[in-house]
Structures are given as structure tokens and as C-alpha cells.
Amino acid sequence: MHKDGNRKIGLGIMGWHDMLVSLGIKYDSEEAIETADQVMKFISERAKEASLALAEERGVFPNFVGSIYDTGKTEDRVRNATRTTIAPTGTISILAGASSGIEPYFSIAFIRKNILGGIDLPEVNPLFLKISKQEGFYSEELIQQIASSGKIPNDSDVPSKYKELFKTAMEIDYSWHVRHQAAFQKYTDNAVSKTI
């Protein structure tokens, strides 16, 4: 068996909760689960199509013979043994300014402590900042309240629609976390990174 002979790649998702908020879909909803299914199915199908085309042009991966893809069927002759994965994208998502992987927000506002040699840097979810200013419920006091707990206070003037859209990981029942993971895993060749 060839040591690096599987040509694995890892196409996946980053910014999932951001996308849901942009579409006006609650993370803890059937619509979110259906959307996850559709999005990952699309990525998986296109990745396989591209891998099939590459295999036709350049050949299958070196460890193809005897693998699960060695079926004799044309539709299984892929260039890459795996094509999709859901990585945690922790640091990358910070650099990209996106929510991490398929995770819900862990906080809407917080203070990054001791950055650049001792500076405390306030961080506010960019979508929340934009929407709160557009909809007229932004205030420094609100941001400070959110930064102290990470979530939108129940007694705040934030409309319930946005309280629902911006629920954080700890406010979302574990069953929705599991259901998101299952929806993505259905079309993912490798593992799904998910904190529950």
C-alpha cells in the first residue's frame, strides 16, 4: 500500500451560523437542518464530480485497487479517496471573520484578554453589530451587557426575532447540535468537528 496514496482532500464549511443568520433561519430549527442537508449534499456531489473528472484525466488514487471504490463501476472511479470533511476552523475563522465550522456562536460579544502584549480587545459579532445598528437597538450599554455574559440578556430591548437568530451554543438544546452534526455527516467522507 502506498503511504500517501489516497489523495485525501477536505472540502467543508465555515461560517455556518453566519449564513443562517443572513438567511433569517434559526440554528435550532427544522429549516436549518434541511438547509444543512441541501448545502452539504451539493458540496459532496460537486466534489465527487470533480474527483471523477480528475480520475478520468490523471487516473485514480494509488491505493484504489482493493478499496471501497474498487467496484468496477465508472461512478466509483475517483481521484480522491475522501473529498469532504468538517474541520473546526478555529483560527482560520477568526482570520476570515466568520463563525467557526458548523458551530453556533459561542458568544455575541466578549473581551479578548491580553492581546498584543496586554491589550484587552472588545469583540462583537459583525452581523449582530450591523443588524443592531440597522434596526436601531444598538447601544454601548447593550454591548457591555452582552460582553459580560456572552449572550443577549432576556430583559433587553432586542427584538425576539434577533434573540432567536443570535442564540449561543449554550442556549441551544443539545439535540439541535446532534441533529446538525448528523445532517452534515450524512454527506461528509471524513469526520465532522462539532462541540456539543
Side-chain angles (χ1 to χ4, degrees), residues 62-130:
N63 292 336
F64 181 85
V65 175
S67 74
I68 62 168
Y69 296 105
D70 188 9
T71 64
K73 299 176 186 172
T74 306
E75 66 266 22
D76 290 335
R77 294 189 56 77
V78 292
R79 178 79 171 163
N80 312 93
T82 64
R83 295 154 303 279
T84 53
T85 195
I86 306 291
T89 71
T91 303
I92 295 170
S93 65
I94 292 169
L95 294 172
S99 58
S100 179
I102 63 168
E103 300 294 344
Y105 299 128
F106 74 90
S107 180
I108 303 306
F110 58 94
I111 306 295
R112 281 196 193 277
K113 299 280 190 184
N114 210 7
I115 304 296
L116 302 171
I119 299 169
D120 288 350
L121 187 64
E123 180 124 1
V124 182
N125 178 289
L127 280 174
F128 183 80
L129 198 56
K130 178 183 171 189

Side-chain angles (χ1 to χ4, degrees), residues 26 152 156-167:
K26 294 176 7 170
I152 301 167
S156 71
D157 291 334
V158 176
S160 60
K161 169 185 176 179
Y162 298 113
K163 286 179 183 175
E164 289 295 316
L165 283 176
F166 285 96
K167 276 186 182 174

Side-chain angles (χ1 to χ4, degrees), residues 7-78:
R7 289 200 172 92
K8 293 180 176 187
I9 58 173
L11 300 172
I13 299 284
M14 182 170 63
W16 179 244
H17 200 168
D18 290 336
M19 185 183 114
L20 292 175
V21 167
S22 296
L23 293 171
I25 300 172
K26 294 176 7 170
Y27 191 95
D28 52 349
S29 69
E30 292 298 332
E31 189 176 6
I33 302 302
E34 291 166 13
T35 303
D37 189 86
Q38 292 168 4
V39 167
M40 201 60 208
K41 180 179 181 186
F42 178 85
I43 291 169
S44 179
E45 287 173 349
R46 293 313 164 283
K48 186 170 184 186
E49 287 171 12
S51 190
L52 289 167
L54 280 170
E56 202 170 298
E57 179 185 323
R58 299 180 187 168
V60 295
F61 60 93
N63 292 336
F64 181 85
V65 175
S67 74
I68 62 168
Y69 296 105
D70 188 9
T71 64
K73 299 176 186 172
T74 306
E75 66 266 22
D76 290 335
R77 294 189 56 77
V78 292

